[in-house]
Amino acid sequence: MLPDLTPELTFQTSRSSGPGGQNVNKVASRVEVWFSIENSALLTQEQKDLLLEKLASRLNKEGYLHLASQEDRSQLANKELVVQKLYEVLEQALHRPKPRKKTRPSKAAVQKRLQAKQKQGQKKANRRAGSADD
């Protein structure tokens, strides 16, 4: 559904606060990705409008969507994770739920429900009548 957006992504790395011991102090394994929805040449105008509407709270003032990953000790693994996250966010925002069709219960279902209610009421009425004799 979505085209390959890799050429339009901007990556930035920094030191991670995650696991890695002394490695954390030396290696920039945290990866951030920036994606401008408005400036994308690969998305249709309809997709852009829908994304801008649904992801409005996640965009910064310049209109960039920003995600980061520091789950892994490897920069490459974090880069793959953050790209995967980005695609998941975009796919979820572009998903349109199928419209609900209004339905009505059949006459038989209504009749069955009313009979069950009547039977339950009769059962309770019999209990009341039985306890009055005691």
Side-chain angles (χ1 to χ4, degrees), residues 32 46 52 60 74-75 83 114:
E32 298 177 72
E46 183 183 332
L52 289 171
N60 65 8
S74 157
Q75 187 185 96
V83 169
L114 292 175

Side-chain angles (χ1 to χ4, degrees), residues 25-69:
N25 302 325
K26 299 184 294 184
V27 181
S29 60
R30 180 176 196 251
V31 179
E32 298 177 72
V33 68
W34 300 84
F35 177 62
S36 175
I37 295 170
E38 291 176 7
N39 299 332
S40 175
L42 298 171
L43 297 175
T44 65
Q45 190 57 44
E46 183 183 332
Q47 288 175 322
K48 288 180 190 180
D49 294 340
L50 190 60
L51 288 172
L52 289 171
E53 179 187 329
K54 288 202 176 174
L55 298 175
S57 63
R58 296 187 75 165
L59 301 177
N60 65 8
K61 292 175 187 170
E62 291 83 35
Y64 280 89
L65 178 62
H66 172 249
L67 294 168
S69 177

Side-chain angles (χ1 to χ4, degrees), residues 1 7-8 12 22 24 29 35 39-40 43 58 62 68 70 72-73 75 96 98 104 125 132:
M1 185 164 175
E8 296 184 352
Q12 184 178 359
Q22 292 177 354
V24 168
S29 60
F35 177 62
N39 299 332
S40 175
L43 297 175
R58 296 187 75 165
E62 291 83 35
Q70 59 181 10
D72 205 278
R73 289 172 61 165
Q75 187 185 96
R96 288 199 176 138
K98 88 178 170 184
R104 300 185 76 182

